[in-house]
């Protein structure tokens, strides 16, 4: 088990860079052309009874306007900028889904733990890839493919259960929702650490799992204390 230390720099790490407004079409094309990521169009929001509902038509949709449109969604994903432009030209409000298990996997953690981990990673000058922040208060750290299959075992070696501390690996067959997708009335997916030339080369999961697991474990323990 890792030793306890003060969350130095959490306030600084919690400062999310200001997001610039960008059409979904432009963002989708940019992801394919600049990062060579596959993209897949998802559902979108439509006016419904004075509000906005998901294009899937499900009144109780868990992620309105931000999930795949069909079961074989992964086969629709493309790494072509021209194909992405055609797809989003047909449905400009479609969510941008990035399939994991291809160019990257993602380690998904609670937002509070994610900011704590960011502070620690940056203070220790550890390698860091892009990081998303979702309206449901989760963060996804982009790492090299293969991470999802290793995550549970790596966390177990550190003395925790990944499920118990809210740490999840997203690999083949899964996806992350990319900025600037809007999720119902909850808000917009943002970059906590946006893609840049400096983070083009993604870290191995082994390089980040310790600060991520520590942060998740600490937040889970604090949550139990608050409930006791």
């Amino acid at each position: 088990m890792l030793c306890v230390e003060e969350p130095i720099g959490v306030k600084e790490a919690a400062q999310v860079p200001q997001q610039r407004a960008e059409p979904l079409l432009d963002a989708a094309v940019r992801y394919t052309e600049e990062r060579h990521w596959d993209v897949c169009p998802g559902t979108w929001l439509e006016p419904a009874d004075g509000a906005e509902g998901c294009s899937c038509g499900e009144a109780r949709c868990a992620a309105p306007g931000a999930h795949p449109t069909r079961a074989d969604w992964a086969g629709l994903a493309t790494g072509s900028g021209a194909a992405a432009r055609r797809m989003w030209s047909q449905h400009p409000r479609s969510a941008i889904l990035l399939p994991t298990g291809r160019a990257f996997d993602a380690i998904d953690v609670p937002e509070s733990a994610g900011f704590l981990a960011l502070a620690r990673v940056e203070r220790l000058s550890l390698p860091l890839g892009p990081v998303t922040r979702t309206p449901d208060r989760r963060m996804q750290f982009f790492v090299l493919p293969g991470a999802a299959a290793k995550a549970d075992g790596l966390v177990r070696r550190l003395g925790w259960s990944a499920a118990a501390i809210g740490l999840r690996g997203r690999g083949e067959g899964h996806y992350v929702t990319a900025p600037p997708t809007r999720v119902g009335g909850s808000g917009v997916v943002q970059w906590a650490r946006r893609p840049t030339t400096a983070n083009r080369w993604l870290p191995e999961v082994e390089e980040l799992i310790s600060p991520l697991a520590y942060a998740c474990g600490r937040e889970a323990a604090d949550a139990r204390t608050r409930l006791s």
Side-chain angles (χ1 to χ4, degrees), residues 94-218:
S94 292
I96 303 175
L97 310 180
L98 305 177
T100 48
R102 300 184 183 186
F104 62 87
D105 278 8
I107 303 299
D108 184 310
V109 301
E111 182 184 80
S112 54
F115 279 129
L116 177 61
L118 274 177
R120 195 158 185 253
V121 165
E122 293 175 343
R123 180 165 57 83
L124 296 175
S125 298
L126 297 175
L128 181 67
V131 182
T132 59
R133 179 192 185 205
T134 63
D136 62 349
R137 302 184 66 83
R138 303 286 300 183
M139 293 173 73
Q140 290 86 37
F141 288 70
F142 289 27
V143 291
L144 287 172
K150 304 175 187 177
D152 284 1
L154 292 171
V155 172
R156 197 177 307 117
R157 289 178 204 168
L158 294 170
W160 285 288
S161 160
I165 62 176
L167 184 150
R168 311 166 188 162
R170 296 194 183 196
E172 187 174 358
H174 296 272
Y175 64 89
V176 297
T177 307
T181 299
R182 187 157 63 92
V183 185
S186 302
V188 178
V189 181
Q190 297 179 304
W191 289 112
R193 293 296 179 269
R194 66 171 56 254
T196 66
T197 54
N199 63 24
R200 181 173 295 277
W201 305 108
L202 300 178
E204 295 276 3
V205 65
E206 290 85 353
E207 297 175 285
L208 292 184
I209 201 66
S210 180
L212 286 172
Y214 164 76
C216 288
R218 177 171 182 147

Side-chain angles (χ1 to χ4, degrees), residues 37-136:
W37 291 340
D38 284 0
V39 297
C40 178
T43 55
W44 57 91
L45 295 172
E46 293 185 333
D49 298 325
E52 286 184 309
C54 186
S55 62
C56 72
E58 176 57 54
R60 297 186 178 181
C61 180
H67 64 84
T69 59
R70 43 197 275 186
D72 62 347
W73 64 271
L76 301 177
T78 180
S80 162
R85 187 173 296 280
R86 286 195 300 273
M87 289 176 173
W88 269 269
S89 292
Q90 294 173 2
H91 294 289
R93 293 177 292 167
S94 292
I96 303 175
L97 310 180
L98 305 177
T100 48
R102 300 184 183 186
F104 62 87
D105 278 8
I107 303 299
D108 184 310
V109 301
E111 182 184 80
S112 54
F115 279 129
L116 177 61
L118 274 177
R120 195 158 185 253
V121 165
E122 293 175 343
R123 180 165 57 83
L124 296 175
S125 298
L126 297 175
L128 181 67
V131 182
T132 59
R133 179 192 185 205
T134 63
D136 62 349

Side-chain angles (χ1 to χ4, degrees), residues 20-30 88 92 94 96 179-180:
R20 63 189 177 93
E22 180 179 30
L24 288 158
L25 184 153
D26 292 346
V29 171
R30 182 166 53 80
W88 269 269
S94 292
I96 303 175

